[in-house]
């Protein structure tokens, strides 16, 4: 039988600003898990990934505010983030940056493959957009004042734009089947939450941003 192999990843952090003490928690937990699995499965069977998420309007705006180019901005923040993680003595296999050449290439290939498969189409969309999340929000994801629960200091924008969409709705049954298997998502409470989310009905997802709004992207 093949030996089990494990991939552990942290969230990769937005480079709008340098990470802070609050980020240490999940990184240290992930590092503990990686060290544990290396002990149990052998070093070669464990891959621990962390890094920075560097494209999009949040990063572009942060750079504009500082009067530097997006690339200069993300280079600086990313290297500061990495120094913070190294100060915690995290034993990661790779610190990935979404601006890395191999990541750019893989993202493009992946997008093309999904497009060729007929799962991406062009459409227009009116929605409530949170720049902090870089995501559209439903009314249930906003507080009583119409603000993002995660970014209560930012204004939610009503946006209409032409985008390419991923046919996420067509994968409802597939996802449901996966997640219905007990133990597929842990803890159990989160598994139920995900099932509840799918049962509400999944909407297709805009997977591009118009170039006139965001030039800093793949
Ligand atoms: Zn938000």
């Amino acid at each position: 039988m093949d030996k089990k192999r494990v991939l552990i990843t942290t969230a990769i952090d937005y480079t709008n600003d340098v990470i802070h003490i609050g980020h240490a928690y999940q990184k240290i937990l992930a590092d503990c898990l990686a060290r544990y699995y290396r002990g149990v499965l052998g070093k070669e069977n464990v891959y621990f990934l962390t890094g920075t998420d560097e494209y999009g309007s949040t990063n572009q705006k942060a750079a504009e505010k500082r009067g530097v180019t997006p690339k200069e901005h993300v280079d600086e923040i990313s290297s500061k983030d990495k120094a913070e993680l190294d100060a915690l003595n995290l034993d990661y296999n790779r610190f990935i940056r979404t601006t890395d050449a191999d990541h750019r290439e893989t993202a493009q290939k992946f997008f093309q493959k999904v497009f060729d498969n007929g799962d991406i189409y062009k459409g227009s969309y009116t929605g409530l957009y949170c720049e902090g999340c870089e995501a559209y929000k439903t009314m249930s994801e906003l507080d009583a004042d119409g603000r993002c629960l995660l970014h209560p200091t930012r204004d939610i924008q009503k946006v209409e734009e032409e985008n390419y969409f991923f046919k996420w709705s067509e994968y409802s049954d597939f996802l449901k089947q996966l997640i219905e298997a007990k133990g597929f998502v842990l803890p159990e409470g989160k598994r139920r939450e995900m099932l509840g989310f799918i049962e509400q009905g999944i909407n297709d997802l805009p997977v591009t941003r118009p170039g006139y709004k965001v030039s800093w992207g793949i």
Side-chain angles (χ1 to χ4, degrees):
M1 206 179 105
D2 282 343
K3 219 175 175 187
K4 198 173 157 189
R5 300 174 76 198
V6 172
L7 168 70
I8 296 165
T9 182
T10 67
I12 55 172
D13 301 296
Y14 277 129
T15 40
N16 57 312
D17 207 346
V18 182
I19 52 174
H20 52 75
I21 187 73
H23 291 87
Y25 175 67
Q26 54 141 315
K27 313 293 183 202
I28 292 169
L29 282 183
D31 189 52
C32 291
L33 261 183
R35 286 169 194 263
Y36 166 76
Y37 278 119
R38 282 180 189 131
V40 174
L41 302 173
K43 246 167 76 172
E44 67 284 3
N45 292 311
V46 179
Y47 199 88
F48 175 23
L49 186 72
T50 188
T52 40
D53 187 358
E54 305 185 9
Y55 285 115
S57 62
T58 310
N59 293 307
Q60 187 179 319
K61 289 204 169 149
E64 279 164 11
K65 213 170 157 185
R66 295 179 60 209
V68 297
T69 67
K71 184 70 169 76
E72 285 166 344
H73 172 75
V74 298
D75 281 350
E76 183 187 326
I77 303 288
S78 180
S79 76
K80 284 182 176 169
D81 280 2
K82 189 170 179 297
E84 295 286 344
L85 299 188
D86 290 339
L88 291 171
N89 196 26
L90 297 190
D91 194 9
Y92 51 81
N93 291 86
R94 179 169 176 186
F95 183 94
I96 194 170
R97 302 180 57 189
T98 52
T99 53
D100 285 344
D102 62 338
H103 177 267
R104 289 176 55 94
E105 196 188 317
T106 305
Q108 283 167 344
K109 276 187 186 160
F110 179 75
F111 195 97
Q112 188 65 49
K113 196 171 175 183
V114 178
F115 184 83
D116 292 344
N117 201 34
D119 281 328
I120 287 176
Y121 64 94
K122 199 172 188 179
S124 82
Y125 183 85
T126 310
L128 303 166
Y129 188 79
C130 173
E131 282 190 335
C133 296
E134 295 198 18
Y136 288 96
K137 298 272 143 180
T138 60
M139 288 305 283
S140 66
E141 291 171 303
L142 303 177
D143 68 15
D145 299 324
R147 288 173 176 271
C148 175
L149 299 174
L150 303 174
H151 302 96
T153 59
R154 289 176 189 253
D155 289 327
I156 288 285
Q157 301 184 348
K158 196 168 185 188
V159 177
E160 184 176 3
E161 58 187 30
E162 223 177 32
N163 273 317
Y164 287 91
F165 287 74
F166 172 63
K167 288 184 188 168
W168 202 18
S169 56
E170 290 201 357
Y171 289 88
S172 298
D173 291 341
F174 167 78
L175 283 172
K176 206 173 152 187
Q177 274 172 22
L178 271 184
I179 296 168
E180 269 173 350
K182 269 208 164 173
F184 184 76
V185 174
L186 294 170
E188 174 63 12
K190 292 294 170 196
R191 190 182 72 87
R192 286 175 186 280
E193 202 178 310
M194 288 174 79
L195 274 180
F197 178 81
I198 293 169
E199 273 153 18
Q200 277 176 28
I202 289 181
N203 295 321
D204 291 347
L205 198 67
V207 287
T208 55
R209 301 288 176 264
Y212 63 87
K213 278 192 182 163
V214 189
S215 56
W216 181 237
I218 294 179

